[in-house]
Amino acid sequence: MNENILEKLPNKVKKEVIRLNSIAKEKGYFSYFIGGLVRDWVLKKPIKDIDMVIQGDALEIAKIYGEKYNISVQYFPRFQTAKIPLDDRIFNNIDLISTRKEIYEFPGALPKIIEGNLKDDLYRRDFSINTLCYSLNSFKIIDLFQGEKDIKNKLIRVLYSKSFMDDPTRILRAIRFKNRFEFKYEAYTKEYMIEAINKKAFATISSDRIKKELILCLQEEKVKEILMDFIEFNIIETLFFIKDISENQFIWLEKVCKIIKNKNKVLVILLIVFFNANQESIEKFCDFYQINKDYKKLLISNKEVFLKIKNELKKNNLTPFEIYRLFSSLKEEQIIFLNIYLQEKFFIKKFLEYYVNELRDVHISITGKDLISLGIPPGPIYDIIFKRVLKNKINLGWKTKEKEIEYIKKHIKEWRE
């Protein structure tokens, strides 16, 4: 590719890259774009992150840059990296990294980082498609591990046989990239994945490291296909403490991904995954990943709540307030899932649509100050008044605050006592 990657970046970002590269040149260092940025550029996909590698001391370059342009830089000496903040709506920062070598002292260990050259830095990457780098001196791609060839052949390939044992989170990344790009696993790579899984590689790393990668998987558009791969590789129980996912659940997952295009869908995915799970499995999952108590309670009670709503909605002559009461305690994610869950049950779904379109945003206009001005002393009675006003406002379709005041005045005698 003869295009200059810099021309694909916003001008504000391009300006800071040029500044950093200029400082690196003055120190006699070479600088490169590396990893996902170059991969996505080759794939003609939007660039999301900027990793800039310095063959030299990245912290030194960051310090000179910060002092010269009066910019606050974050330093991470242990990893020989720095974050350069960007005033851009797409890119938050530039990750500035020294070329380095990683040594895994035992399977699953966090790597020990030592100084290395460009080849060392590329070799520590997870897959060949992420080893591509782009020289900011010659403006050409450097491809030492056949990354472009694997992109052309649509392959996910690791660089060495023990890669998944050294870092088992690469199993989840392999599944994520394979499905995101609609690639295949290179034959030996798949064998190494299976070998690491059979050797219980996930048991060698912390739940926090698994959780971070799992969340990234659940944020992907192809989450249905990712979960199918979890089942194929027999890791669904390891990751979720459940045995399987039903055909109906996969249908719901597909619909969720069509409805929600952003990353804020993880809770909806979990509501689906655990819909048929027993309480023990959900508790194990929540305890293992340290999920907060509110979400734990939500996942455990979710199916019971939905079945209760389903049964209530079968009743005839429900008032608007009774419909409001059924749905108002649900989180937005539950509303989304319920909408999917009731897809084929129109007689019930119409109530949900009525709630979302007509009732969800109904609120009373009166406040405590209004009640005081009417001569009602503060106390527990306020809560009773507010609830009764809301009930009548919803059932009778009141549109003005005057209607609420009128109702209170009508019953003011009983509320003053």
Side-chain angles (χ1 to χ4, degrees), residues 332-393:
E332 180 64 25
E333 291 87 352
Q334 287 178 294
I335 298 273
I336 293 167
F337 176 34
L338 191 55
N339 185 46
I340 293 164
Y341 175 66
L342 300 175
Q343 199 88 46
E344 309 301 326
K345 302 170 179 67
F346 179 73
F347 75 100
I348 297 176
K349 191 180 177 187
K350 65 182 180 182
F351 290 112
L352 177 62
E353 290 176 346
Y354 174 56
Y355 167 75
V356 171
N357 297 327
E358 305 291 336
L359 304 179
R360 178 161 59 174
D361 297 324
V362 175
H363 303 286
I364 58 174
S365 301
I366 57 164
T367 66
K369 288 182 179 180
D370 294 313
L371 298 185
I372 291 171
S373 69
L374 290 168
I376 303 172
I381 191 67
Y382 277 27
D383 190 48
I384 295 170
I385 295 171
F386 291 149
K387 285 178 180 176
R388 199 174 296 180
V389 170
L390 178 63
K391 180 178 180 179
N392 281 276
K393 181 171 186 173

Side-chain angles (χ1 to χ4, degrees), residues 104-192:
Y104 294 87
E105 296 181 326
F106 53 87
L110 288 171
K112 181 180 178 182
I113 293 166
I114 59 175
E115 186 179 337
N117 58 31
L118 180 64
K119 186 174 182 179
D120 294 327
D121 197 84
L122 296 177
Y123 188 68
R124 73 183 180 82
R125 307 273 159 172
D126 47 13
F127 311 110
S128 62
I129 62 171
N130 293 331
T131 63
L132 295 173
C133 71
Y134 179 85
S135 170
L136 289 166
N137 296 83
S138 67
F139 304 108
K140 292 180 181 178
I141 285 180
I142 298 171
D143 182 8
L144 301 182
F145 296 98
Q146 298 187 308
E148 280 196 280
K149 180 181 176 182
D150 286 339
I151 287 175
K152 183 179 178 181
N153 293 328
K154 297 188 172 185
L155 290 177
I156 299 295
R157 178 173 62 84
V158 287
L159 304 185
Y160 60 98
S161 62
K162 298 299 180 184
S163 179
F164 295 117
M165 288 302 301
D166 282 344
D167 184 357
T169 63
R170 288 174 178 166
I171 296 169
L172 300 183
R173 291 207 291 277
I175 292 171
R176 178 156 56 91
F177 289 134
K178 175 256 191 183
N179 286 288
R180 178 194 294 179
F181 301 127
E182 298 182 344
F183 282 12
K184 300 172 292 185
Y185 304 110
E186 182 263 340
Y188 286 116
T189 294
K190 189 169 184 178
E191 284 184 19
Y192 301 147

